């Protein structure tokens, strides 16, 4: 194929191939202006096309690449400014802040602004590789690999886009394939046709097997996630990570474990560490309401009406500098902080939500000691509640979107019609979500809620797959549909117990993968009582606190998504919950089952692995893209140890990789073609060919052949840049 036709074809096909995963990426991660990414992709391919035709003008093309990147950033995020230095300073400042926050772990997802810039740079690099340097492998692998990851681990129907991407990748390979046809090409095109036909119809003939495969591999993929296998996806995309997120407006989608340490504690027992609550459900997630805050609090309660009468427990927390919340248990929390310290560290409290804010300014709070009094009441007390909550409280905490499908309420009524108490109705719904074979606990297989579907309705009646956010939100919405005041809470489960700290206390390590959400239900005269509908999570008092050794043993057990074990565990949990009247589900000490294995990833080991992995990747990429020249260096070294005639045949094979020899072309004619295509050789290959033929077929002794070979290699290496184009 002539060069004037090959390069524009490559640019067009590459644009289409990268556009498909780019559309999926901007949709999944909700980019504000996804069309600008496509325009940027088209512009970059046009510039690279020009760069390939006029490589000597590189001083023009690279500044144009930079201008295109800046223009696309401004078009996507103008930040309410005209294009100016002010916008540039603000954009760079936000980019640096987001990068630092992401690296520090204070955000559980990669910020969209940072993600956008990285994707733009990736688009430029892949286009240069495919069109300019004609090395399409990485672009093909990235495009197909991303769509495969989204299809397999985010349960989006990306089969048709994946099939189209494979077809376009086949087109790129065809454009770059050698001009001389052979029977092997027929097999390649037949295989490509089979892949295209199979991919286009996979949703019909393979729907059931694919569903069964996804179901059978849930445990395996969740374990891989907990071990950090999918963290590379997290670091390079806006994929969600476990941890406390301030943005809960849109829930759903796959989530990957972040095994970094959230905070450490020294306490007598482990329990749920409550951070915040949400009351405004939108149909997609939970919005934050601006409630009144109290400055400089020293005593806070987690939603209970009566003052706790239990013995106080001492707690010491070690917090990272970037933490903006204080995790506390259910009950009353009191700390001795002077007025001067309060002003310095800037603590504030939102009583309605039970949220304690920490200032992360010049004097961040990194250690704090407080006393904690857990609330105690019995199941009988909850069953006996017949009084109604106040009108204002009920109105706020039974709010539901007007477009919530009516079948959610009908299902809730059906499940609770035999219950006569509020507690009985709550337990019936918890039992349905926690023990029904309808639902599967999974992180990697949780789908994104379609645009026109309600989050809870989609989980209840379509996907049936999810993690704590799905189960807890569903319980709250179902309760609200019955007129029962309920709200959504999030924080952390108990964490992993370590060595003893003396005085009956232990060291606990709470990871971001321990982040959890649950429901709170209001009982008049008692207050907000938490209930956890997520499979595999148990109520306090039902299981002894895990030691590190026990936690490691738990990791090797089968996930609670295995139906038989799940039913046994949950049934036992439910029975013991009602028998345990010393503590309710509200002081929740969750000993997680193997559904959420705890794997402590040490920073030094993780960093070392990343560095080694990055170096290996760079080495592999460098080796791949420079393989022809590495082979040439190897040939040059081998000439000292092999016969000159064999060295000539190897050098001819190297030329044939870049300029295929026609089947009817003689060696002499082929040598003339090589010298014509690469005049930098100064006709040396023809001379060397003459010496080779004389020595091979004329049985002449020629001691100059080896020297000729070395001179050709030297000329090739000296003029590498010109020959490469």
């Amino acid at each position: 194929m002539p060069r004037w036709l090959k390069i524009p074809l490559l640019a067009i096909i590459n644009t289409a191939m990268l556009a498909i995963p780019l559309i999926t990426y901007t949709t999944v991660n909700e980019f504000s202006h996804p069309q600008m990414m496509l325009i940027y992709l088209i512009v970059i391919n046009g510039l690279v096309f020009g760069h390939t035709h006029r490589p000597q003008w590189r001083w023009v093309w690279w500044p144009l690449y930079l201008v295109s990147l800046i223009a696309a950033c401004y078009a996507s995020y103008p930040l309410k400014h005209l294009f100016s230095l002010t916008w540039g300073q603000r954009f760079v400042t936000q980019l640096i802040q987001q990068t630092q926050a992401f690296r520090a772990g204070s955000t559980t997802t990669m910020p969209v602004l940072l993600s956008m810039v990285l994707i733009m740079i990736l688009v430029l690099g892949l286009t240069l590789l495919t069109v300019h340097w004609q090395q399409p492998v990485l672009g093909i692998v990235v495009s197909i690999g991303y769509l495969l990851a989204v299809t397999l681990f985010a349960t989006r129907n990306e089969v048709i886009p994946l099939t189209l991407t494979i077809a376009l990748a086949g087109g790129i390979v065809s454009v770059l394939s050698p001009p001389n046809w052979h029977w092997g090409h027929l097999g390649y095109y037949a295989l490509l046709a089979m892949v295209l036909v199979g991919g286009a119809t996979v949703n019909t003939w393979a729907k059931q097997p694919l569903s069964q495969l996804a179901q059978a591999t849930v445990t395996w993929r969740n374990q891989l996630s907990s071990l950090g296998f999918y963290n590379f996806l997290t670091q390079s995309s806006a994929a969600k990570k476990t941890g406390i997120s301030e943005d809960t407006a849109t829930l759903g989608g796959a989530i990957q474990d972040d095994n970094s340490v959230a905070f450490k504690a020294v306490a007598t027992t482990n329990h749920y560490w409550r951070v915040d609550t949400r009351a405004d459900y939108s149909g997609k997630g939970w919005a934050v309401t601006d409630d009144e805050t109290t400055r400089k609090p020293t005593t806070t309660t987690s939603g209970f009406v009566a003052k706790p009468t239990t013995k106080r427990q001492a707690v010491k927390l070690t917090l990272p500098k970037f933490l903006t919340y204080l995790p506390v248990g259910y009950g009353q929390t009191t700390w001795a902080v002077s007025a001067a310290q309060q002003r310095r560290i800037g603590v504030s409290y939102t009583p309605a939500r039970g949220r304690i804010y920490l200032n992360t300014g010049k004097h961040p709070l990194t250690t704090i000691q407080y006393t904690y009094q857990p609330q105690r009441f019995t199941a009988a007390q909850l069953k006996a509640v017949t009084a109604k909550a106040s009108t204002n409280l009920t109105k706020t905490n039974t709010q539901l979107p007007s477009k919530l499908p009516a079948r959610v309420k009908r299902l809730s009524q059906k499940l609770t019609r035999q219950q006569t108490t509020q507690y009985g109705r709550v337990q019936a719904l918890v039992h349905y979500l926690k023990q029904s074979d309808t639902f599967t606990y999974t992180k990697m297989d949780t789908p994104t809620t379609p645009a026109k579907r309600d989050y809870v309705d989609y989980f209840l009646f379509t996907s049936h797959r999810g993690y704590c956010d799905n189960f807890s939100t569903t319980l709250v919405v179902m309760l609200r549909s019955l007129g029962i005041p309920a709200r959504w809470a999030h924080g952390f489960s108990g964490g992993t117990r370590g060595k003893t700290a003396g005085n009956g206390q232990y060291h606990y390590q709470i990871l971001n993968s321990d982040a959890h959400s649950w429901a709170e239900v209001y009982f008049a005269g008692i207050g907000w009582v938490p209930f956890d509908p997520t499979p595999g999570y148990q109520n306090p008092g039902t299981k002894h606190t895990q030691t590190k050794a026990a936690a490691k043993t738990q990791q090797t057990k089968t996930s609670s998504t295995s139906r038989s074990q799940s039913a046994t565990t949950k049934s036992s949990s439910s029975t013991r919950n009602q028998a345990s009247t010393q503590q309710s589900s509200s002081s929740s000490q969750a000993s997680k089952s193997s559904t959420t294995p705890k794997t402590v990833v040490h920073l030094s080991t993780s960093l070392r692995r990343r560095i080694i992995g990055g170096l290996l990747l760079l080495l592999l990429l460098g080796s791949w893209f420079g393989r022809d020249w590495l082979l040439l260096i190897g040939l040059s070294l081998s000439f000292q140890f092999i016969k000159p005639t064999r060295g000539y045949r190897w050098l001819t094979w190297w030329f044939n990789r870049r300029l295929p020899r026609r089947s009817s072309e003689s060696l002499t004619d082929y040598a003339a073609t090589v010298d014509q295509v690469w005049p930098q050789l100064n006709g040396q290959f023809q001379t060397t060919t003459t010496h080779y033929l004389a020595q091979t077929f004329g049985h002449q002794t020629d001691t100059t052949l080896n020297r000729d070979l070395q001179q050709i290699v030297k000329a090739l290496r000296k003029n590498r840049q010109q020959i490469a184009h």
Side-chain angles (χ1 to χ4, degrees):
M1 183 180 295
R3 183 178 175 84
W4 64 268
L5 179 61
K6 178 164 62 174
I7 301 304
L9 269 179
L10 274 178
I12 293 172
I13 299 175
N14 180 70
T15 302
M17 185 184 73
L18 293 182
I20 296 173
L22 194 60
I23 290 172
T24 300
Y25 187 88
T26 54
T27 301
V28 169
N29 297 290
E30 300 180 348
F31 274 54
S32 300
H33 301 87
Q35 67 277 7
M36 294 310 307
M37 297 293 286
L38 295 177
I39 295 173
Y40 171 77
L41 173 64
I42 295 171
V43 170
I44 286 298
N45 274 270
L47 291 176
V48 173
F49 168 71
H51 187 177
T52 307
H53 270 287
R54 293 289 185 271
Q56 64 273 22
W57 294 357
R58 65 175 61 87
W59 56 274
V60 173
W61 303 118
W62 288 104
L64 285 177
Y65 293 147
L66 180 60
V67 169
S68 301
L69 178 63
I70 295 174
C73 290
Y74 176 74
S76 300
Y77 283 89
L79 301 177
K80 300 180 181 180
H81 279 76
L82 294 175
F83 185 76
S84 61
L85 280 177
T86 303
W87 169 83
Q89 292 173 350
R90 187 175 178 186
F91 183 87
V92 172
T93 300
Q94 287 198 14
L95 184 62
I96 293 174
Q97 289 175 347
Q98 291 188 5
T99 303
Q100 292 174 341
F102 182 69
R103 287 176 57 85
S106 56
T107 174
T108 58
T109 60
M110 178 177 284
V112 175
L113 185 63
L114 174 60
S115 175
M116 179 196 71
V117 173
L118 293 178
I119 288 297
M120 287 181 177
I121 295 173
L122 180 64
V123 164
L124 174 60
L126 294 179
T127 303
L128 283 169
L129 286 173
T130 301
V131 180
H132 186 66
W133 291 305
Q134 298 180 15
Q135 301 286 350
V137 176
L138 187 60
I140 292 173
V141 169
V142 168
S143 300
I144 296 177
Y146 175 73
L147 291 174
L148 273 175
V150 171
T151 301
L152 294 176
F153 303 118
T155 60
R156 286 178 58 89
N157 187 2
E158 299 294 331
V159 174
I160 300 302
L162 183 60
T163 304
L164 291 174
T165 304
I166 294 174
L168 293 168
I172 290 178
V173 173
S174 298
V175 170
L176 294 175
S177 62
N180 50 326
W181 187 88
H182 56 82
W183 287 103
H185 289 158
L186 182 61
Y188 164 75
Y189 289 116
L191 178 63
L192 181 61
M194 291 173 60
V195 171
L196 295 178
V197 173
T201 59
V202 70
N203 283 331
T204 57
W205 61 267
K207 184 176 182 179
Q208 187 64 26
L210 286 175
S211 178
Q212 293 175 351
L213 178 63
Q215 183 72 20
T217 57
V218 165
T219 301
W220 175 69
R221 283 178 283 133
N222 279 342
Q223 289 174 347
L224 286 179
S225 173
S226 69
L227 294 173
F229 184 76
Y230 301 109
N231 282 355
F232 72 95
L233 289 175
T234 308
Q235 298 298 328
S236 60
S237 70
K240 293 181 180 179
K241 295 188 293 183
T242 52
I244 294 297
S245 175
E246 301 293 344
D247 183 9
T248 57
T250 302
L251 301 178
I255 193 168
Q256 293 131 14
D257 280 329
D258 177 1
N259 291 311
S260 60
V261 177
F263 61 93
K264 297 179 181 180
V266 176
T268 305
T269 60
N270 74 346
H271 48 74
Y272 274 15
W273 302 89
R274 187 176 182 275
V275 171
D276 203 353
T277 61
R278 300 281 192 269
D280 187 3
Y281 176 67
S282 65
K284 295 297 181 183
W286 295 96
V288 179
T289 55
D290 295 327
D291 295 317
E292 183 180 352
T293 59
T294 300
R295 297 293 296 173
K296 310 178 186 63
T298 56
T299 301
T300 63
T301 60
S302 297
F304 293 96
V305 175
K307 184 177 180 180
T309 57
T310 57
K311 184 179 178 181
R312 292 186 177 185
Q313 302 177 10
V315 177
K316 179 182 179 181
L317 296 184
T318 302
L319 311 172
K321 292 181 179 180
F322 53 79
L323 215 61
T324 59
Y325 54 81
L326 182 65
V328 296
Y330 274 90
Q332 183 169 286
T333 301
T334 304
W335 59 86
V337 181
S338 66
Q341 289 176 312
Q342 290 273 11
R343 288 192 297 271
R344 186 171 62 87
I345 62 178
V347 179
S348 60
Y349 173 52
T350 304
R353 287 163 43 197
R355 167 68 181 262
I356 304 172
Y357 290 92
L358 299 180
N359 175 32
T360 58
K362 294 182 179 180
H363 305 286
L365 186 66
T366 56
T367 59
I368 188 170
Q369 291 183 337
Y370 61 75
T371 59
Y372 159 64
Q373 283 182 276
Q375 191 80 4
R376 296 285 177 85
F377 48 84
T378 65
Q381 287 176 305
L382 296 177
K383 291 179 182 179
V385 173
T386 58
K388 301 296 182 181
S390 66
T391 303
N392 289 337
L393 186 145
T394 301
K395 182 179 179 180
T396 302
N397 294 283
T398 56
Q399 166 273 335
L400 288 173
S402 59
K403 295 183 179 180
L404 179 73
R407 59 182 178 177
V408 175
K409 181 176 181 179
R410 288 198 299 267
L411 177 61
S412 304
Q413 291 173 332
K414 178 182 177 181
L415 294 171
T416 60
R417 61 189 173 191
Q418 296 181 352
Q419 303 298 325
T420 58
T421 66
Q422 176 174 306
Y423 178 75
R425 289 190 284 273
V426 174
Q427 287 292 78
L429 295 181
V430 170
H431 181 274
Y432 173 70
L433 292 171
K434 203 162 193 172
Q435 299 190 27
S436 172
D437 289 340
T438 304
F439 305 103
T440 300
Y441 180 97
T442 174
K443 294 178 181 178
M444 298 307 298
D445 278 328
T446 301
T448 302
T449 307
K452 296 182 179 181
R453 292 291 302 274
D454 180 88
Y455 177 69
V456 168
D457 179 80
Y458 183 65
F459 172 69
L460 277 175
F461 300 102
T462 304
S463 73
H464 302 138
R465 298 189 303 275
Y467 41 91
C468 57
D469 289 351
N470 300 84
F471 288 92
S472 57
T473 299
T474 298
L475 177 59
V476 172
V477 170
M478 294 181 79
L479 288 169
R480 287 185 172 193
S481 71
L482 300 175
I484 298 175
R487 64 185 183 185
W488 186 76
H490 66 150
F492 296 88
S493 60
T496 303
R497 195 180 85 177
K499 63 182 180 179
T500 180
N503 297 324
Q505 292 187 313
Y506 295 89
H507 289 274
Y508 292 93
Q509 186 167 252
I510 295 86
L511 310 180
N512 279 304
S513 55
D514 292 316
H516 190 49
S517 63
W518 56 92
E520 290 185 353
V521 184
Y522 190 83
F523 286 80
I526 294 177
W528 290 103
V529 180
F531 291 84
D532 195 339
T534 303
Y537 285 78
Q538 300 183 42
N539 293 321
T542 62
K543 192 172 184 180
H544 291 296
T545 305
Q546 288 183 330
T547 61
K548 288 186 176 180
K552 292 180 180 178
T553 303
Q554 281 290 90
Q555 294 175 23
T556 63
K557 295 182 181 179
T558 308
S559 170
S560 64
T561 52
S562 171
R563 297 303 183 192
S564 59
Q565 179 178 346
S566 177
T568 303
T569 302
K570 293 176 229 175
S571 175
S572 174
S573 174
S574 176
T575 302
R576 281 180 254 175
N577 175 45
Q578 298 196 20
S580 174
T581 59
Q582 298 302 314
Q583 290 178 311
S584 83
S585 56
S586 55
S587 50
S588 302
Q589 165 200 358
S591 298
K592 295 184 187 177
S593 73
S594 55
T595 306
T596 53
K598 302 179 177 66
T599 303
V600 180
V601 179
H602 296 289
L603 180 61
S604 59
T605 303
S606 174
L607 182 60
R608 187 163 56 248
R609 288 176 180 173
R610 290 183 185 180
I611 292 174
I612 295 174
L615 291 175
L616 288 176
L617 180 60
L618 289 175
L619 181 61
L620 288 173
L621 290 176
S623 300
W624 174 260
F625 297 126
R627 60 192 183 279
D628 285 345
W629 302 101
L630 290 175
L631 284 172
L632 193 63
I633 294 173
L635 285 177
S636 177
L637 296 174
S638 66
F639 290 158
Q640 307 295 329
F641 309 101
I642 62 176
K643 293 181 179 180
T645 51
R646 177 172 294 181
Y648 174 85
R649 289 194 292 272
W650 285 4
L651 184 62
T652 304
W653 169 82
W654 186 88
F655 277 122
N656 193 61
R657 283 171 53 86
R658 303 179 64 81
L659 182 65
R661 176 187 170 192
R662 297 190 299 272
S663 57
S664 60
E665 193 173 19
S666 66
L667 268 180
T668 303
D669 292 339
Y670 179 66
T673 302
V674 170
D675 283 336
Q676 183 179 1
V677 172
W678 293 303
Q680 295 87 355
L681 299 178
N682 298 319
Q684 291 183 64
F685 193 49
Q686 293 182 73
T687 302
T688 305
T689 301
T690 301
H691 293 162
Y692 166 77
L693 293 173
Q695 188 168 338
T696 303
F697 301 106
H699 303 289
Q700 298 179 12
T701 302
D702 192 342
T703 59
T704 62
L705 183 56
N706 188 68
R707 185 187 61 191
D708 293 339
L709 295 174
Q710 293 285 6
Q711 289 178 347
I712 291 176
V713 172
K714 184 177 180 180
L716 288 171
R717 295 176 63 182
K718 181 179 179 181
N719 300 280
R720 173 180 173 179
Q721 188 170 5
Q722 292 85 348
I723 292 173
H725 295 290

